[in-house]
Every structure is written in C-alpha cells, then in structure tokens.
Amino acid sequence: MSDAAGLDEATIQRLTAAARAVQKQAYAPASEFRVGAAVLAADGREFVGCNVENASYGLTICAERAAVCAAVAAGVREIRAVAVVTDLDEPARPCGACRQVLAEFGKDMAVLLVGRGPAVRLLDLERLLPDAFTFERGS
Ligand code: THU
C-alpha cells in the first residue's frame, strides 16, 4: 500500500534489509518485541537503530529514535526516509513519541513499515502525524 512519493524499489529493499539486520541487536528482555529501524539521510547515508529496553521500563528507547540519534550524532539534520521492521505479520506503526521526533528532521519523510507478512506500508510522515508541532510559525 502506498501514498508516499519518491522511494524507489532499490532504496526500499536496502532500507528494509538494514532495518532487518539491526533488529537482531534489539535489547528487549521485557517485551521480547524486537524492532529495527533504518533512516536514509538527505546526503544518502544510512543509519540504524534498535529498541533498547530497561529494567526501569519507562526508560525504553524505541528503534526509530535510536536510529535518528545515530544520524544526528553523525551530523545529519535532514532525513528523507525511515524503515521500521518488526516480527508482527502486519506492519507496525511508529509510536507517537517517535512520530514527533522523526518530524523534527523531515517534513516530507517517507515511512516504510514492514512486518513478516507480505503487506508493506509506504506512507508520508504527515499522514501519521498531521500538523506536527515545530518551532516554525504556522500560517
Ligand atoms: N517500540 C519501538 O521500538 N518503536 C515503536 O515505534 C513502538 C515500540 C519498542 C519499544 C519497546 O521496546 C517495544 O517496542 C514494545 O513496546
């Protein structure tokens, strides 16, 4: 299913593979729900992240935010796309906190959601978080 522009098939495959690879590193002793994420920076570089849980549950870091932090630490300020993979049959949706953090780095970001089943969702971040909070003034 698709309502987002601009991600070619090769990019989709590459981002999905990167997210699937890093998913293996997820640290999820509490939920056993493993998530992998890969972001594509505007400069073409890719960065990955996995979820990192904690005995103090509320300190858990989601895969998407881990990937964003890795990108930002390398100097990235604009992200073109993010892929998120889980082991659910249907593609999972990013949590609200991750949507807001992603929105900081790409108004037109493509979001690729991949589960274990054949259905893949490709959509615009604007659809997941319409009218996000930013420091920019609205019209
Ligand atoms: N999780 C993510 O990594 N990304 C999301 O967008 C939603 C949830 C993680 C957090 C926690 O480790 C596990 O999934 C179960 O909530």
Side-chain angles (χ1 to χ4, degrees):
M1 177 185 178
S2 168
D3 67 359
L7 270 199
D8 59 67
E9 190 56 34
T11 304
I12 288 173
Q13 295 304 330
R14 219 177 51 245
L15 276 186
T16 302
R20 193 57 87 189
V22 75
Q23 186 199 16
K24 294 186 176 62
Q25 308 300 339
Y27 178 70
S31 70
E32 296 191 359
F33 187 74
R34 291 172 183 78
V35 187
V39 298
L40 173 65
D43 63 12
R45 289 184 292 167
E46 293 172 10
F47 299 88
V48 294
C50 59
N51 54 329
V52 181
E53 297 185 346
N54 191 274
S56 179
Y57 296 158
L59 301 182
T60 291
I61 300 165
C62 291
E64 298 90 320
R65 279 179 285 158
V68 168
C69 289
V72 170
V76 169
R77 295 295 181 267
E78 197 185 335
I79 295 173
R80 207 181 288 153
V82 59
V84 184
V85 308
T86 73
D87 287 330
L88 296 177
D89 268 357
E90 293 295 317
R93 288 97 169 120
C95 79
C98 288
R99 295 177 194 200
Q100 177 65 33
V101 169
L102 288 165
E104 184 80 13
F105 298 103
K107 276 205 311 220
D108 303 318
M109 196 182 300
V111 181
L112 176 66
L113 305 173
V114 182
R116 285 289 176 191
V120 169
R121 296 189 80 203
L122 177 59
L123 60 164
D124 292 316
L125 181 58
E126 174 68 24
R127 166 136 181 240
L128 290 177
L129 186 66
D131 219 6
F133 171 76
T134 72
F135 287 127
E136 289 164 27
R137 288 181 192 284
S139 49

